[in-house]
Amino acid sequence: MAVLLVAEINDGDLAMDATAKAVSAAAQLGDVTVLCAGADCSKAAAQAATISGVEKVLCAQDEVYGHQLAEPVADLIVSLAGGFEHITAPATAGAKNILPRVAALLDVMVISDAIAVVDSVTFERPIYAGNALQTVKSSDGKKVVTFRTSTFEAAETGGAAPVETIATVGSNGLSTWIEDTVAASDRPELTSAKIVVSGGRGVGSEENFEIIKALADKLNAGIGASRAAVDSGYAPNDWQVGQTGKVVAPDLYIACGISGAIQHLAGMKDSKIIVAINKDEEAPIFQVADFGLVADLFEAVPELTAKLG
């Protein structure tokens, strides 16, 4: 079966981690063709061609795709859909904007956040904040699927797939880019970071988050926060980890002053090693933690930071 995978591209560069993990998932369905669309996507296409398991890369280069607006990208995908049984993408913010529109234009269902491929028509996805798994079987002629990349290993590099430049589809004028506002940071991006340090309501204030930042800087880690911390104004929205935030699965997740509400656990419980620091020994976070420290975070976190040299 032929599978079209929509690559994640940021400023002309391929989001390698997310795309390589999605390739691992999509390769279970058939031969994978990667679509790179952007104002200048030649570099991203060349990067995608190196991912093992990719049979071919399509490069659609046009200014209309420069800001990944859902409408023109969806129209491009629909124009290519005839040759594919599956249309897939990593479950990123961009794909979650684009693929539902593709599904609507094709008059099929969209299967979001798939965490396992049972067979070519059947997928598993989490529901109820990850407390239950739903098995979905689609009888649609086209299967439109986003993969939760935190549950798949990244495909290796070393491939050499051919890259084909394809004709583009003009804008339908339904949306217009105005501006992008991006917060610059030297820290790793949260969803792809190997180590994440998160703070919760127990941190107490925005000023106190400096101790979380200091530990993260020592570990070259991404910074996360619980919904309670974000709602309290201690941390910005883009740090939120959880069901209504970002889903992460780093090698190491350090939760500081986080009680472990269900919606937060849904966003980080696939982490390989979870360390919890909380003065409440009854906190639910200890039920999922590999290592737990019952201590005052205002003493434990600075001491840990100091011991890291």
Side-chain angles (χ1 to χ4, degrees):
M1 291 187 177
V3 183
L4 180 67
L5 171 64
V6 183
E8 179 77 5
I9 298 175
N10 298 314
D11 295 326
D13 285 316
L14 184 73
M16 179 62 82
D17 186 68
T19 304
K21 288 178 177 178
V23 168
S24 290
Q28 299 176 53
L29 299 169
D31 295 335
V32 179
T33 296
V34 174
L35 171 63
C36 294
D40 182 3
C41 60
S42 56
K43 181 180 177 181
Q47 292 170 325
T50 66
I51 301 174
S52 299
V54 174
E55 297 293 323
K56 182 167 66 172
V57 179
L58 303 179
C59 180
Q61 191 160 291
D62 195 305
E63 287 293 335
V64 74
Y65 308 128
H67 302 285
Q68 300 295 302
L69 296 178
E71 289 80 5
V73 176
D75 286 347
L76 171 66
I77 295 169
V78 170
S79 73
L80 300 169
F84 300 93
E85 288 84 4
H86 297 83
I87 298 171
T88 66
T92 59
K96 288 179 179 179
N97 189 24
I98 295 168
L99 258 63
R101 183 175 182 84
V102 170
L105 292 170
L106 295 174
D107 194 24
V108 300
M109 70 183 295
V110 60
I111 300 171
S112 60
D113 276 319
I115 62 169
V117 177
V118 178
D119 56 41
S120 63
V121 298
T122 313
F123 306 86
E124 288 185 358
R125 61 185 298 273
I127 57 174
Y128 303 132
N131 286 295
L133 293 180
Q134 182 182 63
T135 302
V136 182
K137 185 173 183 178
S138 173
S139 59
D140 289 327
K142 305 286 184 187
K143 315 298 186 291
V144 179
V145 187
T146 63
F147 293 111
R148 180 176 287 190
T149 54
S150 63
T151 59
F152 297 94
E153 294 294 328
E156 296 181 357
T157 56
V163 177
E164 177 185 341
T165 300
I166 62 172
T168 60
V169 178
S171 173
N172 53 26
L174 292 177
S175 62
T176 305
W177 173 81
I178 297 176
E179 67 174 352
D180 290 331
T181 303
V182 180
S185 176
D186 293 330
R187 296 189 179 93
E189 203 279 323
L190 182 57
T191 56
S192 60
K194 299 299 183 184
I195 303 174
V196 173
V197 180
S198 281
R201 194 200 305 272
V203 176
S205 70
E206 182 179 2
E207 292 74 21
N208 289 343
F209 246 85
E210 291 301 322
I211 66 173
I212 304 298
K213 294 178 183 178
L215 178 57
D217 288 342
K218 278 292 180 71
L219 295 170
N220 190 30
I223 298 181
S226 69
R227 178 174 177 176
V230 171
D231 288 348
S232 298
Y234 305 163
N237 289 333
D238 59 346
W239 288 4
Q240 183 175 324
V241 173
Q243 183 184 14
T244 54
K246 295 179 178 178
V247 176
V248 300
D251 294 336
L252 173 62
Y253 187 88
I254 304 176
C256 308
I258 295 175
S259 64
I262 289 174
Q263 84 88 26
H264 184 77
L265 298 183
M268 46 65 74
K269 65 182 180 181
D270 289 327
S271 304
K272 291 182 174 62
I273 297 176
I274 299 172
V275 176
I277 302 173
N278 200 302
K279 64 182 180 182
D280 178 10
E281 63 182 18
E282 300 298 327
I285 190 72
F286 289 122
Q287 296 177 17
V288 299
D290 298 286
F291 300 94
L293 176 61
V294 179
D296 186 335
L297 71 89
F298 296 108
E299 297 176 1
V301 174
E303 182 179 354
L304 175 59
T305 304
K307 288 184 180 297
L308 289 170

